Amino acid sequence: MPKDSFRFKQFLVCQECCAMKVGTDGVLLGAWVNVGHRALDVGTGTGPIALMVAQRFPEAYITAIDIDGSAYAQAFENVANSPFSDRVGVKHVALQQFEDNEKFDAIVSNPPFFEPALKTQSGSRLLSPREIARHSDTLSYSELCRNASRLLVENGEFSVIVPFDYRSDMDMEAAIVGLFPSRVCAVRTSDRKPVRRYLLAYKKHPVAVEQSELVIGSTEYRSLVEDFYL
C-alpha cells in the first residue's frame, strides 16, 4: 500500500499529491448524504466522498469536480483504481462552468470555510497548500449555494458539512437562493463537548426538518461508518 494513502474497506485513497487529506468531516458527509441517480461532488479532493457515495448507491452516477490540478489528477487515479470507475467521472472544472441544463438529484460538498479576511497579509509567511484549500474565496458559500440551487432538480438535495460557527452563514446563503433546510445533524466529539460540526441538507421547497445528533465514537457513529472503515 502506498505510504501516503487511506484504506477503506472497498477502495484505496492515495493522497500524496493533494493538500486535503482524508478526514472525519468528509467521511461523515459521505456516509450521511442522500443521493438519487445523479450526484455532483463539489471540491472532491482525492475523491473519498464520491467513492463512498458510489459504494452506498449502486444505481447512482457521480460526477466529481475540483479546480485544483493536483487534486483532480489524484482523484482520477483513485477512481480508476476503484471498483466504481464505471460510475464515477472526475472533471477538472469549476462549479460555475456547468450549464443550467446539467441537473443533479444530489449535490454534495465539504466546502472551504476560512474567510478571506483571515488570510495572512501580503508580505507575511506564505500559506500552506492545506490553508489555501480551506479558504472560502476559492468557492464562497454564496457561490456554492447559488450554483447548487441552479443545478439541483426540483426535488433534489444539497448537502454539506460545516464548523458549528459557520452554520448561520450557510443557512443565510441557502435562504437567499431559495434553499430550505431538510436535515440537520449536530456532531460532537464526546457527550460532554459542545457541537463542533453540522451536517446540513437543503431542498428547494420547505419541508419538516429532520433533526439529529451524532457523537464521534458512539454506537450510532460506528453504525454510520462501519461499511467504510477497516
Side-chain angles (χ1 to χ4, degrees), residues 1-6 16:
M1 187 169 67
K3 184 177 179 180
D4 195 354
S5 61
F6 192 97
E16 69 273 8

Side-chain angles (χ1 to χ4, degrees), residues 6-11 22-28 52 55 216 221-222 224-230:
F6 192 97
R7 168 65 70 180
F8 289 84
K9 284 185 177 179
Q10 294 192 29
F11 56 89
V22 173
T24 302
D25 285 7
V27 173
L28 281 173
M52 291 176 71
Q55 178 181 324
I216 302 297
Y221 169 80
R222 291 194 294 272
L224 183 69
V225 302
E226 66 180 353
D227 290 338
F228 303 102
Y229 281 151
L230 291 173

Side-chain angles (χ1 to χ4, degrees), residues 23 43 55 77 117 200 213:
Q55 178 181 324
E77 175 189 3
L200 304 171
E213 188 170 295

Side-chain angles (χ1 to χ4, degrees), residues 166-222:
Y166 283 73
R167 179 188 172 182
S168 60
D169 293 339
M170 184 62 76
D171 281 347
M172 179 184 68
E173 296 297 348
I176 289 172
V177 297
L179 292 174
F180 301 87
S182 55
R183 295 190 297 145
V184 176
C185 179
V187 181
R188 302 177 188 270
T189 55
S190 75
D191 288 318
R192 298 182 179 181
K193 295 289 182 66
V195 173
R196 302 307 302 171
R197 293 285 190 269
Y198 280 102
L199 289 157
L200 304 171
Y202 302 90
K203 288 181 173 291
K204 288 189 169 185
H205 304 284
V207 295
V209 181
E210 297 178 24
Q211 303 270 0
S212 62
E213 188 170 295
L214 187 69
V215 178
I216 302 297
S218 66
T219 300
E220 293 79 8
Y221 169 80
R222 291 194 294 272

Side-chain angles (χ1 to χ4, degrees), residues 31-212:
W32 184 80
V33 63
N34 284 333
V35 169
H37 293 293
R38 192 165 181 226
L40 176 65
D41 176 19
V42 181
T44 193
T46 55
I49 293 175
L51 291 168
M52 291 176 71
V53 169
Q55 178 181 324
R56 289 181 58 215
F57 300 94
E59 302 301 317
Y61 181 85
I62 301 94
T63 300
I65 65 172
D66 208 295
I67 60 171
D68 180 81
S70 296
Y72 157 76
Q74 192 94 79
F76 188 92
E77 175 189 3
N78 289 331
V79 168
N81 292 329
S82 78
F84 315 112
S85 58
D86 60 330
R87 293 190 294 109
V88 180
V90 184
K91 295 184 177 182
H92 185 202
V93 64
L95 175 64
Q96 296 89 334
Q97 292 178 263
F98 280 80
E99 300 292 338
D100 288 349
N101 61 352
E102 297 186 75
K103 300 295 186 182
F104 298 90
D105 301 298
I107 297 175
V108 57
S109 181
N110 179 9
F113 55 80
F114 291 162
E115 291 301 321
L118 298 180
K119 290 170 69 170
T120 304
Q121 296 300 313
S122 177
S124 301
R125 69 174 179 83
L126 294 175
L127 296 172
S128 71
R130 178 181 173 83
E131 288 173 321
I132 293 171
R134 268 307 182 202
H135 279 301
S136 64
D137 56 353
T138 61
L139 180 63
S140 68
Y141 283 5
S142 174
E143 280 286 281
L144 178 59
C145 289
R146 184 177 66 81
N147 284 281
S149 179
R150 180 175 66 87
L151 297 172
L152 273 178
V153 299
E154 201 60 29
N155 294 316
E157 190 168 74
F158 166 52
S159 303
V160 296
I161 184 168
V162 298
F164 75 98
D165 50 347
Y166 283 73
R167 179 188 172 182
S168 60
D169 293 339
M170 184 62 76
D171 281 347
M172 179 184 68
E173 296 297 348
I176 289 172
V177 297
L179 292 174
F180 301 87
S182 55
R183 295 190 297 145
V184 176
C185 179
V187 181
R188 302 177 188 270
T189 55
S190 75
D191 288 318
R192 298 182 179 181
K193 295 289 182 66
V195 173
R196 302 307 302 171
R197 293 285 190 269
Y198 280 102
L199 289 157
L200 304 171
Y202 302 90
K203 288 181 173 291
K204 288 189 169 185
H205 304 284
V207 295
V209 181
E210 297 178 24
Q211 303 270 0
S212 62

